[in-house]
Amino acid sequence: MLNLPKSTEFDKKIPKQKFYDKIEISPEVKRALVEQIKEIRWVNKLSPDTLNLQPGTKVTELEVFLIQLKESELDERVLRQIDRELPYHLLFLLEYEEQYKAVIGYKEAAEAGTAAFKVNRYYATEWCSEAELRLELCGLDIDAVYEGYVRQIAGAALTGTRGSDLRESVENAAQQEKLERQLAALDAKIRKEKQPKKKFELVQERKRLQEQG
């Protein structure tokens, strides 16, 4: 799948209890951890120590976690819980009945001078076979490697060119998604509106909104 060098191999099992025994989480997230996940393995560690790469300014290490599932769906709040607990950037490989999916979050420092991180949103591939899931390791430093994986997994979901700033691309994509939701909501109102004058006003509102986007 990732075709990573042997020097990056870690292969350490992580007990699920690590993410809920000593910390306060909601009953729903704990239930999802227990009922949806079979096993979590830390399979690779990408860093200047394991790869011939320069350190990043935003990303110090990129860890690869393989999560074996009991069912095909995983509550996204579980990934957020794991991401919150670990001060590294993470690439998740989900496995279910010999099918695989790559998931990665756009993760950045929450505040300057703190070790806390926040994940703005997650991107995921479709379920596919191990042979079909191909992600390339590219870049001269860990920042570039992380950005490469985000862009490969997000695909068309990210707007902007490959050469543009990743954060800007993520923000542009979020704005576009918001616009599409607003347009869809207006379309529904237009279809339901019976009064010609009100319908005309909604159509004009939609045009203005589309021009702003």
Side-chain angles (χ1 to χ4, degrees), residues 104-117:
I104 195 167
Y106 176 66
K107 188 173 182 177
E108 60 183 358
E111 295 179 14
T114 71
F117 282 86

Side-chain angles (χ1 to χ4, degrees), residues 107-169:
K107 188 173 182 177
E108 60 183 358
E111 295 179 14
T114 71
F117 282 86
K118 62 178 180 179
V119 179
N120 291 336
R121 65 154 298 168
Y122 284 95
Y123 300 100
T125 66
E126 298 295 328
W127 284 106
C128 58
S129 68
E130 184 175 356
E132 292 171 325
L133 183 56
R134 290 294 177 216
L135 298 175
E136 298 297 326
L137 175 66
C138 53
L140 300 178
D141 59 34
I142 300 299
D143 284 351
V145 169
Y146 169 68
E147 177 171 346
Y149 282 136
V150 172
R151 291 191 181 278
Q152 288 177 71
I153 294 170
L158 280 183
T159 58
T161 63
R162 180 171 288 274
S164 65
D165 179 75
L166 179 59
R167 182 176 188 178
E168 182 180 346
S169 293

Side-chain angles (χ1 to χ4, degrees), residues 71-114:
E71 52 190 65
S72 61
E73 295 298 323
L74 177 62
D75 192 323
E76 186 180 285
R77 291 174 296 179
V78 171
L79 299 182
R80 290 188 179 276
Q81 184 64 39
I82 296 173
D83 254 320
R84 277 197 296 265
E85 291 305 305
L86 299 175
Y88 305 112
H89 290 71
L90 305 177
L91 166 58
F92 298 101
L93 298 175
L94 308 185
E95 177 187 354
Y96 177 69
E97 293 187 348
E98 299 183 357
Q99 293 288 297
Y100 295 86
K101 174 188 287 192
V103 183
I104 195 167
Y106 176 66
K107 188 173 182 177
E108 60 183 358
E111 295 179 14
T114 71

